[in-house]
Amino acid sequence: MMLSGTQRSTAVIGLQWGDEGKGKLVDLLAPSFDAVVRYNGGANAGHSVVVGDERFALHLVPSGVLARGVRSVIGNGVVVDPQQLLTELEGLESRGIETDGLVVSSRAHVVMPYHIAEDRVREAGISGGMGALGTTGRGIGPAYADKVQRSSAVRVADLLEADALRERVATAMAFKQPMFERYAPEALDNLGLDALVERGLAWGESLGSRIVESTHLLETILDEGGSLLFEGANATMLDIDHGTFPYVTSSHPGVHGIGSGTGLPPTVVERVLGGAKAYQTRVGAGPMPTELTDATGEAIREQGREFGTTTGRPRRVGWLDLVALRYSARLNGVTELAVMLLDVLAGHEELRVCTAYRLPDGDVTDRYIPETHALARCQPVFETLQGFDTDITGVTSIGDLPAAARGYLDRIESFVGVPITVVSVGPERTQTVYAATGAAS
Ligand code: IMP
């Protein structure tokens, strides 16, 4: 993988249930591009980037912000919580990070305080938990729902138009008021119309010249021979259509989201780098056939520090599900794989990968089952591979990995059918191993 010079426009996509290390990948690749572009999701994402002794937790700001001279674009497909965005920008600036190159689409939708309140009401569950999905509580679903409803939605451009903003917010609250009165009357204390409009206009003023027509900006960069790095947030198995519905997020985290979330044609994406952990994790509810609820799972959680960047919740841990990974790689047309957190698997005598599912009637299939109830009834069929004991956090070339670790990568490559070009062995930029074509052998 080249890390300098102009690149073909590339997407970095999470192939599992999130937290695959996309932030690190984007941070590594960003200096070779003219702009890093977010196109989906919102502050539900939690991308950690480690530079030297410093750890940055980014939620809305694209992970390319740490690369000097590279623009950061929040595309129209993102749902933006302006308060969170302004707080994140302030935090970066106070640590000496230049943020002038960050812009936000005038057509992105706004996460208003009542969306966050509504997310919490829904998550509290009705009649003893009915309806809870284990969301991040960042107002993502309700904001996207209002986007689809249209009349009650607020776009970033509306933060600059007092009358339009008032009308939008009044419409939204007319529908939401009875819900809050019934389920969370205390939330209404902070949801008065005048205060909401005032807050929205203040956000608009603070964002000011950062608000742009983003599609035109991206087209111009491409017309001038530049290239774009698309940063997927959340992950493919949380896709609203192709993930484990309804235990998903409300957008298209894979390549499918790039066209609608930026206004560019999908053909603009020439390379797709799919990120997958060497094992897997999930936060929130929903099936994950390879879940480990025993001491091995606990050991991986501790070793991998698997606690949410956005919510602090302990992540559910499982062996690598190659059936799901191949499904996800194919959905995205992945051209290269990045295997992340391989170092976390050191110390296990044996490693397991799931290569098929056993259905309740005893049949075995190596095809993914996208129907959630049926998936929940499947048992994983595991293949056992040799583990490795060595600390690999200082390894810098594929050849220096223990043979068992290389064998593990080989199996991933052969099952998924996509070359591994990056292997991550620790959080630091330097703890990254590159392979030109295929990591194994
Ligand atoms: P929401 O996106 O906050 O509505 O949450 C819906 C589901 O997606 C929940 O299970 C969340 O835990 C999960 N989720 C959303 N974003 C991420 C992410 O960036 N990493 C991991 N899980 C996520």
Side-chain angles (χ1 to χ4, degrees), residues 36-47 58-63 72-79 88 140 144 218 229-234 261-262:
V36 175
V37 188
R38 278 275 307 263
Y39 58 88
N40 80 297
N44 51 353
H47 294 168
L58 303 170
H59 299 281
L60 260 172
V61 172
S63 304
S72 296
V73 179
I74 298 180
N76 61 274
V78 175
V79 285
E88 234 171 273
I140 305 299
Y144 275 118
L218 297 174
L229 181 60
F230 299 98
E231 174 178 2
N234 330 123
T262 64

Side-chain angles (χ1 to χ4, degrees), residues 147 157 160 205 227 325 342:
K147 171 177 174 171
L160 304 171
E205 202 177 320
S227 58
L325 185 58
L342 183 64

Side-chain angles (χ1 to χ4, degrees), residues 16-17 123 131-135 237-238 243-249 280-293 313-318 321 357 368-378:
Q16 297 160 317
W17 280 274
E123 283 304 295
L133 300 171
T135 72
M237 299 306 287
L238 296 169
T244 47
F245 191 89
Y247 304 104
V248 292
T249 191
Q280 64 191 35
T281 58
R282 171 163 206 170
V283 269
M288 182 168 82
T290 62
E291 184 162 7
L292 284 163
T293 50
R313 290 180 288 181
R315 296 178 183 140
R316 296 159 59 194
V317 172
D321 182 343
Y357 297 145
Y368 181 70
I369 298 182
E371 207 289 297
T372 305
H373 304 298
L375 180 67
R377 289 193 290 267
C378 289

Side-chain angles (χ1 to χ4, degrees), residues 32-330:
S32 308
F33 292 85
D34 296 278
V36 175
V37 188
R38 278 275 307 263
Y39 58 88
N40 80 297
N44 51 353
H47 294 168
S48 336
V49 181
V50 176
V51 185
D53 294 339
E54 296 216 63
R55 178 179 283 271
F56 296 88
L58 303 170
H59 299 281
L60 260 172
V61 172
S63 304
V65 75
L66 303 174
R68 209 171 269 281
V70 178
R71 304 193 77 155
S72 296
V73 179
I74 298 180
N76 61 274
V78 175
V79 285
V80 178
D81 174 345
Q83 190 57 59
Q84 170 71 31
L85 177 58
L86 291 165
T87 306
E88 234 171 273
L89 288 171
E90 243 174 66
L92 286 164
E93 280 156 18
S94 72
R95 294 165 79 179
I97 306 294
E98 169 80 62
T99 68
D100 287 355
L102 180 133
V103 294
V104 54
S105 172
S106 52
R107 288 176 287 141
H109 280 249
V110 178
V111 178
M112 295 294 289
Y114 46 76
H115 291 132
I116 296 171
E118 183 176 343
D119 201 353
R120 294 194 175 145
V121 166
R122 287 175 170 271
E123 283 304 295
I126 290 161
S127 315
M130 188 172 69
L133 300 171
T135 72
T136 61
R138 297 300 186 106
I140 305 299
Y144 275 118
D146 271 337
K147 171 177 174 171
V148 178
Q149 284 291 358
R150 298 153 293 169
S151 61
S152 49
V154 176
R155 303 214 290 192
V156 168
D158 297 328
L159 302 177
L160 304 171
E161 305 273 349
D163 290 346
L165 179 62
R166 176 168 286 272
E167 192 186 322
R168 295 309 180 108
V169 171
T171 307
M173 282 307 292
F175 287 108
K176 294 178 198 293
Q177 180 102 10
M179 170 190 60
F180 288 125
E181 276 167 7
R182 174 148 187 202
Y183 295 112
E186 69 288 351
L188 288 168
D189 294 348
N190 300 315
L191 299 177
L193 180 60
D194 289 341
L196 287 168
V197 173
E198 203 177 303
R199 232 171 141 190
L201 293 173
W203 288 333
E205 202 177 320
S206 302
L207 289 172
S209 60
R210 291 188 192 273
I211 301 174
V212 301
E213 205 296 83
S214 53
T215 303
H216 179 66
L217 169 69
L218 297 174
E219 285 168 350
T220 308
I221 294 174
L222 293 173
D223 287 347
E224 290 171 356
S227 58
L228 304 173
L229 181 60
F230 299 98
E231 174 178 2
N234 330 123
T236 304
M237 299 306 287
L238 296 169
D239 182 282
I240 183 83
D241 278 301
H242 303 292
T244 47
F245 191 89
Y247 304 104
V248 292
T249 191
S250 304
S251 68
H252 297 290
V255 290
H256 311 94
I258 295 175
S260 63
T262 64
L264 298 172
T267 43
V268 76
V269 184
E270 296 172 83
R271 277 172 76 202
V272 182
L273 179 61
K277 283 180 182 175
Y279 48 98
Q280 64 191 35
T281 58
R282 171 163 206 170
V283 269
M288 182 168 82
T290 62
E291 184 162 7
L292 284 163
T293 50
D294 58 3
T296 305
E298 191 56 42
I300 296 175
R301 178 167 29 252
E302 286 304 317
Q303 185 71 21
R305 293 192 292 273
E306 295 293 358
F307 299 89
T309 315
T310 301
T311 59
R313 290 180 288 181
R315 296 178 183 140
R316 296 159 59 194
V317 172
W319 290 122
L320 184 60
D321 182 343
L322 288 176
V323 177
L325 185 58
R326 183 169 60 189
Y327 164 79
S328 180
R330 292 193 71 156

